[in-house]
Amino acid sequence: MAQQENQVVDGGEVVNDGYVVDTEDCAARELAHRERGTARPITVVGNPVLHRECKDVTEFGDELARLIDDMFASQKAAEGVGLAANQIGVDAKVFVYDCPDDDGVRHTGVVVNPRLVELPAGSRVLDDSNEGCLSVPTAYASLARPDYAEVEGQDAQGNPIKVRGTGYFARCLQHETDHLYGYLYIDRLSKRDRKDALRQMAEGTPRYETVPNA
């Protein structure tokens, strides 16, 4: 069988079927972004930019590259595994990730203009693990999500890509895509659980810099 020809992109390699290989050279790629970027404070629940759909990205150039670098720096500073652009106050459909799956395999990359692929109802297996969010600091709640996810979008140069993941990484892909369409994970909780998460946030102290809500 002939070897597949791979196209190198910012988030890793894209094989012929379009899926990013985001498990190679993770440390080097993440560090390169972070060293070029500047960490920014994190927006928290109540900030309007978190509660509306973000704008599609139409320009793929230096400004987007700088934003991605800053997002990786901000993610690292906040000790997160995924970060959406609106979590640092930018109204743009971009998220970055540096996240392990349930097997401990590290995935690192960026998705622009992401769209979750709808899974057939019969193939969904729900995982009700705890979930947290940098924009709801110090709070956690159990939330059922499919344990497999696929996202379609573009890389930093505008090339079409697909990303897929299982377990914890699948949760990350769904969580970050939600952000860019104006949803926090607490929006998917029952009223009681949402209230409890907000209580946890009010009683806790973030370990990273946040943007005070006006």
Side-chain angles (χ1 to χ4, degrees), residues 63-211:
E63 184 176 352
L64 176 61
R66 286 192 295 271
L67 171 62
I68 291 169
D69 290 341
D70 285 357
M71 289 174 68
F72 272 104
S74 303
Q75 175 178 255
K76 183 68 172 182
E79 300 177 16
V81 297
L83 188 76
N86 53 355
Q87 291 186 272
I88 56 170
V90 179
D91 185 1
K93 283 184 180 160
V94 187
F95 75 77
V96 301
Y97 59 90
D98 187 17
C99 182
D101 59 27
D102 284 359
D103 294 322
V105 177
R106 183 176 179 179
H107 299 259
T108 303
V110 55
V111 185
V112 182
N113 298 326
R115 301 173 303 279
L116 274 173
V117 175
E118 187 71 22
L119 301 176
S123 68
R124 295 177 191 167
V125 178
L126 294 180
D127 171 17
D128 61 355
S129 298
N130 263 10
E131 189 161 330
C133 178
L134 297 178
S135 293
V136 193
T138 73
Y140 294 89
S142 174
L143 176 61
R145 289 191 190 266
D147 69 351
Y148 174 82
E150 291 188 18
V151 172
E152 296 178 339
Q154 295 165 279
D155 67 12
Q157 289 75 44
N159 302 306
I161 57 170
K162 294 187 284 187
V163 182
R164 56 187 168 187
T166 59
Y168 187 50
F169 181 43
R171 182 175 294 273
C172 176
L173 293 175
Q174 294 168 84
H175 180 111
E176 301 308 330
T177 302
D178 269 357
H179 267 303
L180 299 176
Y181 289 86
Y183 295 100
L184 298 166
Y185 86 97
I186 59 172
D187 296 328
R188 298 190 178 277
L189 301 175
S190 68
K191 289 183 179 180
R192 183 184 66 181
D193 289 346
R194 176 188 171 92
K195 182 177 180 180
D196 182 65
L198 293 174
R199 176 193 57 78
Q200 293 178 54
M201 175 180 163
E203 293 177 352
T205 301
R207 62 184 182 275
Y208 44 84
E209 185 181 1
T210 60
V211 178

